[in-house]
Amino acid sequence: MKWNLDPSHTSIDFKVRHMGIASVRGSLKVLSGSVETDEAGRPTQVEAVIDAASIATGEPQRDGHLRSADFLHAEQYPEIRFVSTQIEPLGGNRYRIQGNLTIRDITKPVTLEAEVSAPIKDPWGMQRIAASASGQINRKDWNLTWNQVLELGALLVGEEVKFNLEVEAVAPAPVAAQ
């Protein structure tokens, strides 16, 4: 069965070390995507399109810098894409999802650890599933290399980006017979 991601109930949150002493947190918005499941409800394929310009950390000047050519270059590369390549059951409702992440037209493999819910029926009669997932990337793998070295050798912006996803997906509405 194919499920459509619900952008209004899906979030991507991330954190990056700042000056080696604390973390800056931010978020990105999902534009669209889908999850395919087998007859038993196990995920078999995941795809997502993320809005690069939606990056938000709560500080407008920093957000503008993150959208610029120094980082995401959102004007030239408006979408970040994820496509799974393998989904491995880990027991119960947990899965390891391997896939390709494309940022700025550079595609590299990433691994997510996910926990998937059983389907439910929402108050409007639609079937929904959800998942929580986490992972980490090194931003330099996507040529996101802008940085400054501070006086004692720490980096202004950490290279490791940790992220958490909360995802809801909805089954397509059945087509009414005519």
Side-chain angles (χ1 to χ4, degrees), residues 120-161:
I120 61 141
K121 186 183 283 191
D122 69 20
W124 303 275
M126 302 296 292
Q127 291 288 319
R128 289 183 177 266
I129 57 171
S132 296
S134 63
Q136 125 177 1
I137 62 170
N138 185 316
R139 65 187 180 87
K140 288 173 47 178
D141 292 343
W142 285 267
N143 286 341
L144 304 174
T145 58
W146 183 92
N147 223 332
Q148 291 181 345
V149 178
L150 303 176
E151 186 176 320
L152 297 176
L155 296 175
L156 181 61
V157 182
E159 295 172 353
E160 297 296 320
V161 180

Side-chain angles (χ1 to χ4, degrees), residues 73-88:
H73 203 341
E75 188 174 316
Q76 183 170 344
Y77 305 102
E79 295 178 346
I80 298 168
R81 293 184 171 270
F82 175 80
V83 178
S84 66
T85 56
Q86 180 180 3
I87 300 178
E88 172 188 356

Side-chain angles (χ1 to χ4, degrees), residues 13 25 40 42 63 70 84 90 95 104 107-108 115 142 159-160 178:
D13 298 312
R25 296 178 183 274
R42 294 180 297 251
D63 295 347
D70 284 344
S84 66
L90 298 176
Y95 297 87
R104 293 176 54 144
T107 302
K108 299 282 183 177
E115 187 172 327
W142 285 267
E159 295 172 353
E160 297 296 320
Q178 294 189 4

Side-chain angles (χ1 to χ4, degrees), residues 1 35-38 42-46 84-87:
M1 171 179 261
V35 176
E36 292 186 33
T37 58
D38 64 14
R42 294 180 297 251
T44 59
Q45 178 69 27
V46 177
S84 66
T85 56
Q86 180 180 3
I87 300 178

